[in-house]
Amino acid sequence: MAKRVVLAYSGGLDTSVAVRWMIDELGVEVVCLAVDVGQASDDWDVVKERARAAGAVEAIVVDAREEFAEEFVAPALKANAMYEGRYPLVSALSRPVIVKHLVETARYHGADAVAHGCTGKGNDQVRFEVSTRALAPDLEVIAPVRGWGMTREESILYAYDHQIPIVATKEKVYSIDDNLWGRAIECGEMEDPWAVPPQGVWLLTKPTETEPRDVVIGFEQGTPVSIDGERLGMLEVIERLNAVFGSYGWGRIDMVENRRVGIKSREVYECPAALALIMAHQDLESICLERDLDREKARIEPRYAELIYDGLWFSPLKQALDAFVDSSQEFVTGEVRIRLEPGTATVTGRRSPHSLYDYGLATYDAEDSFRHEDSAGFVRLWGLGIETWAARQGADRIKD
Ligand code: ARG
């Protein structure tokens, strides 16, 4: 049995109740760890106080925003990672960095277990537990919320009975998870996939700007390094693009996705910076990547996204795919211009010192350097097999 546990603490109802519950029911000491990955509105002093009030022997906050941006988001961006073609993996990407800190904290404080506040129906439990087993197979993983069988009302009562200062109302309708890569909103009326998401759920994508504007994003080897010529770190790029693209009411996703545990769930996201960066990066690749490399990369991208979604960030296939993706990014340097208008964002230009776009080859003007006479023989050979097939077998099948 574990004696000391490090809990991934958010300051919300479930993890606050989990502190007291583990102390009382499992007889453990609880160290609370909150990992700052760019959540919107957390006052970390309040979070720490709440952890202590719930009974934690220690309450720690780590600022992991830069690490998250540079070591987790940046590789995913190089791979244009979007689960089921649409979701830029907001929550899925944050779990491995949180687990990394959980494990480090467990080592530092001599804990023999880690804990999380996930339910049994979601993906996040998978990510927490599989990542922990990859990094620290000797640590026990405790999932109190999955096992305690309390309803939301019972949890609130439990908190009151134990003087845990939570801010929860009986009718908390949404389950929200956010970080600098975006915001995920579930539950409430949106559990009906036909229901329009209520206006009140949007926070990052409230339209306030009406004047069209251009934004130029600069990349070096697949990583964003500037906005409108101003050099910025990855974290600043993301923060600024969230603000700018969000202010045009752009960056929303409304989808039904397949969870790892077999459930289809209606998910609503707002990820202005993530969608802007992936759109720009993908566009820049169109001039920087040779055709076969581009196509093969596009083929593995969905698999890469799936690995992250499924909790396999720390896995040999993910590592091998990273090596491929990294190698593909050598020449992905340049700029992409995006035009913002209320509700829309459109790429209107791209340029790169390594561009494979050759004006002489592409133009129909006088500077045309393409050898037109080469085409006749090429096309003849290209069609030779089809011509033979049509003559011997296919003729009557394609006539009508
Ligand atoms: N469906 C998304 C995912 O699996 C978002 C999960 C959000 N988590 C939450 N606790 N609300 O990555």
Side-chain angles (χ1 to χ4, degrees):
M1 274 297 268
K3 291 190 181 64
R4 182 176 271 214
V5 179
V6 181
L7 168 69
Y9 184 69
S10 71
L13 172 67
D14 280 344
T15 51
S16 297
V17 168
V19 177
R20 186 82 252 162
W21 189 92
M22 287 194 291
I23 296 168
D24 289 352
E25 301 293 320
L26 309 176
V28 294
E29 280 182 354
V30 179
V31 172
C32 282
L33 172 71
V35 181
D36 182 355
V37 281
Q39 297 89 323
S41 59
D42 284 321
D43 179 336
W44 296 115
D45 288 331
V46 174
V47 169
K48 277 203 255 186
E49 271 166 39
R50 195 175 297 152
R52 289 205 198 88
V57 290
E58 194 86 54
I60 306 158
V61 176
V62 203
D63 179 357
R65 288 173 304 159
E66 274 186 16
E67 179 187 10
F68 179 49
E70 285 161 20
E71 292 170 35
F72 293 80
V73 172
L77 172 59
K78 288 181 189 173
N80 301 316
M82 298 258 239
Y83 181 64
E84 296 184 340
R86 296 168 76 187
Y87 164 49
L89 298 161
V90 177
S91 307
L93 276 168
S94 75
R95 292 334 185 222
V97 73
I98 295 172
V99 169
K100 210 181 131 194
H101 286 280
L102 267 185
V103 168
E104 274 168 22
T105 309
R107 297 301 186 217
Y108 185 83
H109 287 274
D112 39 17
V114 294
H116 61 72
C118 306
T119 68
K121 290 175 75 172
N123 296 310
D124 289 325
Q125 55 174 345
V126 178
R127 298 163 186 154
F128 271 112
E129 293 177 35
V130 175
S131 298
T132 305
R133 280 163 67 188
L135 296 182
D138 58 305
L139 290 179
E140 192 186 329
V141 184
I142 303 174
V145 177
R146 193 165 61 197
W148 68 30
M150 282 192 271
T151 62
R152 182 167 176 83
E153 274 190 22
E154 287 163 349
S155 300
I156 293 173
L157 277 179
Y158 189 100
Y160 286 138
D161 285 349
H162 295 82
Q163 275 111 53
I164 303 167
I166 43 112
V167 271
T169 50
K170 274 191 189 138
E171 60 286 347
K172 180 202 167 184
V173 273
Y174 308 121
S175 163
I176 294 170
D177 184 55
D178 70 331
N179 60 55
L180 49 93
W181 205 225
R183 198 161 165 267
I185 311 130
E186 301 167 57
C187 305
E189 49 271 71
M190 289 173 293
E191 283 180 352
D192 171 1
W194 178 250
V196 177
Q199 279 306 314
V201 306
W202 309 114
L203 192 72
L204 302 176
T205 56
K206 286 191 198 148
T208 51
E209 290 298 324
T210 48
E211 280 304 298
R213 119 161 221 204
D214 286 330
V215 178
V216 176
I217 305 174
F219 289 86
E220 271 172 22
Q221 302 197 314
T223 300
V225 294
S226 68
I227 297 175
D228 295 335
E230 184 186 350
R231 253 195 115 78
L232 299 166
M234 178 80 186
L235 176 58
E236 293 165 292
V237 167
I238 297 169
E239 284 172 346
R240 289 219 199 165
L241 294 180
N242 270 332
V244 175
F245 281 71
S247 70
Y248 283 82
W250 187 84
R252 297 178 182 175
I253 304 157
D254 181 337
M255 67 190 283
V256 173
E257 76 191 29
N258 291 290
R259 287 190 189 162
R260 181 61 287 189
V261 294
I263 300 170
K264 279 194 191 289
S265 68
R266 202 281 183 84
E267 306 275 339
V268 166
Y269 302 104
E270 29 182 13
C271 320
L275 295 182
L277 283 167
I278 293 171
M279 175 165 80
H281 176 258
Q282 218 161 22
D283 194 281
L284 184 60
E285 286 185 324
S286 74
I287 57 168
C288 297
L289 296 189
E290 178 276 333
R291 185 185 69 157
D292 282 338
L293 177 57
D294 200 6
R295 297 222 173 140
E296 197 57 23
K297 182 168 182 285
R299 218 171 61 89
I300 64 143
E301 284 173 354
R303 189 77 184 95
Y304 187 96
E306 223 166 73
L307 289 172
I308 297 172
Y309 189 88
D310 290 347
L312 297 169
W313 177 272
F314 302 111
S315 69
L317 179 54
K318 157 75 172 44
Q319 278 180 2
L321 293 181
D322 270 329
F324 173 88
V325 170
D326 268 338
S327 144
S328 76
Q329 298 299 292
E330 189 179 350
F331 298 109
V332 184
T333 294
E335 290 183 318
V336 177
R337 187 179 55 235
I338 298 176
R339 177 76 162 173
L340 271 167
E341 281 169 25
T344 66
T346 317
V347 173
T348 58
R350 70 290 291 159
R351 62 182 175 193
S352 164
H354 309 296
S355 177
L356 299 172
Y357 181 90
D358 188 307
Y359 179 75
L361 291 178
T363 186
Y364 287 91
D365 288 347
E367 284 112 292
D368 185 1
S369 63
F370 182 75
R371 289 171 29 138
H372 291 249
E373 64 277 20
D374 288 352
S375 286
F378 167 74
V379 177
R380 201 162 168 73
L381 295 189
W382 176 254
L384 187 57
I386 291 302
E387 188 182 331
T388 311
W389 166 78
R392 307 265 167 98
Q393 302 173 352
D396 47 350
R397 289 189 210 168
I398 43 186
K399 251 179 213 134
D400 37 49

